Amino acid sequence: MAQYRIATIEGDGIGPEVTQAAMAVLTEACGAGTLAFEMLEGGAGHYVKSGAVLPDDTFAGCRDADAILHGAAGLPGVVYPDGTEVGNDLHLRLRFRLDLYANVRPIKLLPGVLSPLRAFEGGGIDYVIVRENTEGLYASRGAGVVLRDEIASDSLVVTRKGTERVARFAFDLAARRQGAPRDGQRRVTVCDKANILRSYAFFRRICDEVHAGYPDLAIDYAYADAITVHMLKRPDSYDVIVAENMFGDIISDLGAATVGGMGISPSGEIGDGHALFQGAHGSAPDIAGQNAASPIATVLSGVMMLRWLGQRNGDAALASAADRIEAAVGTVLAEGRAVPRDLGGRASCTEVTDAVRRALA
């Protein structure tokens, strides 16, 4: 039996609670011994104690592992001298040092979850946002300029290499999916502001060039402001959306809100050789230690991790375990067995976790 090393960083706030929950569900589904979780230090709390948000041994453990599972990071008031948050720097450093260039955010309405979009309360939302993860406006991280306390500037960077690879990732993903719920068409939607800025016109042109290699897939376009309307009015028309870093960051959270919120929204940060998986939510220190957090986002991030590992290693058992977990989560929510508090229920983190584990049996 294959065994996979999982570098595991619990982080701050609710991070330890949701990480332990995900580990329990993953172990239940895969069987003891399949996943070897290696617990590593990192985050804002560790920075306060040691001065390091990402210790060298933690980075080495992440670099050498088969995959990375991350809880959440960040604490109120723990910031660098320039005012930026220390917690965010943990996965940002991993992102850039491991070249995790594709941020993957599934936007899927789960069984039993009530969407705030009335027309879609019965389902029909199932698309993925692929966000370029190492360039765009965030390429200026730590390098922006503040001049005489009067002018501040950050540069937006779009390269051919960065755009080609994330566009290819998006088209490859669309080729494996079933298409948009509305019409079954497999398509990639390019989100940009090509009508205003040359950098985004360049981004669109490169996406067009990549699309030429995928004649069986459709391509369309949406300006970043207009797509916020379309995501609310006709979300069933989307299959895969590809966007520059900042735009992808913003529309991903909007998409999450349409399917129940951040507490049930998974994410993956994927490169050619490494991948990190974590819930899309923050560390929520206001409810830390109260057993009140929803573990579903981290559990579903674990599902993404299993599918990535299964595809990468030709391990069908991992893909099967991922399917079983996703089905178990859907059953628990649809039948109201243990509804987390952020979805209007009363179930604790432990109760949701135990219900999902029982549903796997």
Side-chain angles (χ1 to χ4, degrees):
M1 178 185 298
Q3 184 180 71
Y4 301 94
R5 290 177 54 205
I6 310 301
T8 309
I9 306 173
E10 293 182 326
D12 307 306
I14 63 172
E17 299 166 60
V18 297
T19 302
Q20 291 294 327
M23 291 166 58
V25 171
L26 290 167
T27 300
E28 186 81 29
C30 295
T34 302
L35 304 177
F37 296 99
E38 180 181 356
M39 308 308 294
L40 302 172
E41 295 283 357
H46 189 73
Y47 174 84
V48 171
K49 292 186 296 183
S50 69
V53 67
L54 177 64
D56 289 342
D57 56 347
T58 295
F59 173 74
C62 291
R63 179 197 61 211
D64 298 338
D66 293 298
I68 305 164
L69 181 66
H70 181 27
L75 291 172
V78 182
V79 299
Y80 291 123
D82 65 359
T84 58
E85 294 183 7
V86 168
N88 284 336
D89 203 28
L90 172 59
H91 75 272
L92 285 173
R93 291 190 184 203
L94 286 169
R95 176 186 301 173
F96 284 96
R97 294 179 70 179
L98 297 178
D99 201 21
L100 309 177
Y101 61 83
N103 189 306
V104 183
R105 289 282 296 273
I107 308 297
K108 184 175 183 178
L109 187 58
L110 301 174
V113 177
L114 185 65
S115 171
L117 306 181
R118 282 174 43 190
F120 296 92
E121 290 176 354
I125 303 176
D126 185 359
Y127 60 93
V128 181
I129 296 171
V130 178
R131 161 189 166 197
E132 200 294 314
N133 214 28
T134 61
E135 298 185 348
L137 191 56
Y138 290 174
S140 286
R141 181 182 68 96
V145 175
V146 177
L147 184 62
R148 297 189 301 274
D149 204 30
E150 294 289 340
I151 301 172
S153 67
D154 291 287
S155 299
L156 190 156
V157 178
V158 176
T159 71
R160 172 174 288 276
K161 176 184 175 181
T163 306
E164 282 181 343
R165 66 184 185 176
V166 78
R168 191 170 294 112
F169 186 102
F171 282 106
D172 286 342
L173 177 59
R176 298 193 301 270
R177 286 173 48 84
Q178 302 303 309
R182 174 175 289 197
D183 57 11
Q185 175 66 59
R186 293 179 298 167
R187 69 166 64 86
V188 172
T189 300
V190 181
C191 172
D192 57 41
K193 282 296 288 184
N195 57 330
I196 301 295
L197 297 175
R198 288 179 177 176
S199 54
Y200 289 114
F202 180 73
F203 185 90
R204 178 180 292 198
R205 176 160 60 84
I206 300 305
C207 288
D208 280 336
E209 292 176 8
V210 173
H211 173 238
Y214 298 83
D216 295 333
L217 304 182
I219 188 171
D220 68 353
Y221 314 93
Y223 296 137
D225 48 348
I227 203 170
T228 62
V229 177
H230 303 328
M231 288 169 64
L232 300 183
K233 300 288 284 186
R234 48 179 181 88
D236 58 339
S237 67
Y238 291 114
D239 181 20
V240 175
I241 301 170
V242 65
E244 172 270 333
N245 210 332
M246 173 66 86
F247 287 163
D249 193 4
I250 294 168
I251 66 172
S252 294
D253 284 9
L254 173 62
T258 68
V259 294
M262 305 300 287
I264 58 173
S265 297
S267 76
E269 302 191 31
I270 300 173
D272 292 331
H274 305 276
L276 177 152
F277 301 88
Q278 64 175 341
H281 55 72
S283 61
D286 55 319
I287 59 170
Q290 300 176 30
N291 200 22
S294 170
I296 291 177
T298 309
V299 169
L300 293 178
S301 298
V303 167
M304 295 178 67
M305 181 180 75
L306 293 183
R307 287 180 175 148
W308 181 78
L309 282 170
Q311 181 182 6
R312 183 175 174 82
N313 294 280
D315 192 334
L318 292 185
S320 176
D323 291 343
R324 290 173 56 227
I325 296 171
E326 187 173 46
V329 170
T331 297
V332 167
L333 294 177
E335 297 181 359
R337 298 185 190 180
V339 179
R341 300 178 190 185
D342 61 341
L343 293 180
R346 295 186 176 183
S348 67
C349 182
T350 301
E351 290 168 337
V352 175
T353 305
D354 290 345
V356 172
R357 293 177 68 186
R358 286 194 297 270
L360 284 167

